[in-house]
């Protein structure tokens, strides 16, 4: 069974999309918003690559998505993501899921996120493999 739940939310002036996949990797995407450092993210993206359309925006390929460059409220974003992930896991009970940072610089933050998620869910074991945090449902 391959289900994906999509949740969209705002943190400050940034709009995010959280893709919760069962089984599979959880993904957090920056979908739009405004930063005092770069202005409207849609316009910044168009300036970054004027031949691309906003609809073709891929957070993995977009240099401006590094949170440290945009002024994102990291604490609020972390809290919101941990609560949404834990709520989904406790409700959907996926057999397996993983959480992975997009950059090496974010790895320490993902250490804390994974620990917090693990403390809010029951019946799962987890381990870190390279930079990915793997969660497996334990048999009853």
């Amino acid at each position: 069974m391959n289900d994906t739940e999509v949740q969209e939310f705002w943190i400050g002036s940034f709009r995010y999309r959280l893709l919760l996949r069962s089984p599979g990797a959880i993904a957090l995407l920056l979908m739009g918003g405004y930063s005092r450092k770069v202005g409207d993210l849609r316009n910044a993206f168009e300036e970054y690559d004027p031949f691309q359309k906003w609809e073709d925006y891929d957070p993995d390929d977009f240099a401006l998505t590094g949170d440290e460059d945009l002024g994102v409220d990291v604490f609020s974003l972390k809290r919101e993501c941990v609560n949404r992930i834990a709520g989904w896991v406790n409700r959907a009970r996926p057999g397996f899921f993983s959480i992975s940072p997009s950059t090496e610089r974010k790895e320490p933050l993902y250490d804390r996120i994974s620990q917090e998620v693990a403390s809010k869910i029951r019946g799962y074991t987890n381990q870190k493999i390279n930079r990915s945090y793997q969660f497996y449902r334990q048999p009853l």
Side-chain angles (χ1 to χ4, degrees):
M1 182 161 143
N2 191 354
D3 296 322
T4 299
E5 182 176 319
V6 178
Q7 297 184 14
E8 290 199 11
F9 58 93
W10 288 82
I11 298 293
S13 61
F14 300 100
R15 184 169 57 97
Y16 291 91
R17 179 176 291 159
L18 187 61
L19 302 176
L20 303 159
R21 296 186 182 108
S22 174
I26 292 174
L28 179 66
L29 307 173
L30 177 60
M31 301 305 295
Y34 181 85
S35 167
R36 288 186 295 178
K37 293 183 179 185
V38 299
D40 182 273
L41 294 184
R42 181 181 301 259
N43 293 339
F45 176 70
E46 290 171 357
E47 289 174 16
Y48 172 74
D49 189 345
F51 299 103
Q52 292 284 339
K53 299 185 301 266
W54 178 253
E55 294 79 22
D56 296 334
Y57 163 71
D58 180 354
D60 291 332
D61 294 335
F62 187 35
L64 296 175
T65 58
D67 295 340
E68 61 276 357
D69 296 333
L70 296 176
V72 170
D73 181 354
V74 177
F75 296 110
S76 294
L77 179 59
K78 180 180 74 76
R79 183 177 50 247
E80 185 74 23
C81 289
V82 165
N83 289 335
R84 286 176 179 270
I85 292 168
W88 170 74
V89 170
N90 288 325
R91 184 179 65 256
R93 305 295 297 163
F96 161 82
F97 67 95
S98 67
I99 303 171
S100 303
S102 58
T103 66
E104 191 173 313
R105 185 174 179 175
K106 293 181 183 180
E107 190 171 351
L109 175 61
Y110 277 69
D111 287 335
R112 290 192 301 273
I113 289 171
S114 294
Q115 290 171 358
E116 288 183 34
V117 168
S119 73
K120 292 184 176 219
I121 61 176
R122 297 292 176 249
Y124 283 81
T125 184
N126 67 75
Q127 63 182 346
K128 182 177 179 181
I129 301 173
N130 297 323
R131 289 189 349 211
S132 181
Y133 302 86
Q134 312 287 321
F135 290 79
Y136 303 94
R137 188 172 62 210
Q138 297 172 339
L140 297 173

